[in-house]
Amino acid sequence: MSKQSMADKLFTIRYKCDENSHLSIKNAEACIRCGGKECNTFCPAEVYEWDKAAKVTHVAFENCVECGTCRIACPGDNIGWVYPKGGYGISYRFG
C-alpha cells in the first residue's frame, strides 16, 4: 500500500472558489497575542499561516476542506467560519 502525501490527497478534491472568503480572523490583535499559533498546525489543509514579519495570519480559504476544525480548535475563538454560499466550496471526487 503506497503512502500518499497530504498534497496528493488534497488533489482528489475540487474547490469552486468564491471571490469572498468563508473564513475570517475576527481580531488581528488576538493573533499577535496568541503564543501557540495553533491554527498553523491543526488545519489539515494548511489554510492558516502566521507571517512573523508582518505579524498577521494569512488565510488561504481556497484550500479549505470544510472540516470545521478551526471553528473549535482556535484557543482564542478567533476564527470566523461559515459555509460557503450555495454553489461554491468543496467537491469530493471519491465519496
Side-chain angles (χ1 to χ4, degrees), residues 30-88:
C31 288
I32 293 170
R33 291 189 307 271
C34 178
K37 309 287 188 263
E38 286 87 350
C39 63
N40 290 270
T41 56
F42 63 55
C43 178
E46 300 177 347
V47 168
Y48 304 95
E49 182 180 1
W50 175 250
D51 184 334
K52 193 174 186 177
K55 294 185 180 178
V56 65
T57 298
H58 294 289
V59 181
F61 72 97
E62 305 87 353
N63 296 341
C64 180
V65 295
E66 298 173 28
C67 67
T69 302
C70 59
R71 293 192 304 183
I72 58 172
C74 177
D77 190 31
N78 195 36
I79 297 174
W81 190 100
V82 296
Y83 285 105
K85 68 182 180 184
Y88 293 95

Side-chain angles (χ1 to χ4, degrees), residues 6-56:
M6 181 55 73
D8 291 335
K9 291 177 183 178
L10 289 173
F11 186 72
T12 66
I13 60 176
R14 294 292 175 251
Y15 192 88
K16 185 174 179 185
C17 190
D18 190 3
E19 292 177 9
N20 301 312
S21 176
H22 65 288
L23 304 170
S24 63
I25 301 298
K26 296 177 187 177
N27 179 350
E29 290 296 317
C31 288
I32 293 170
R33 291 189 307 271
C34 178
K37 309 287 188 263
E38 286 87 350
C39 63
N40 290 270
T41 56
F42 63 55
C43 178
E46 300 177 347
V47 168
Y48 304 95
E49 182 180 1
W50 175 250
D51 184 334
K52 193 174 186 177
K55 294 185 180 178
V56 65

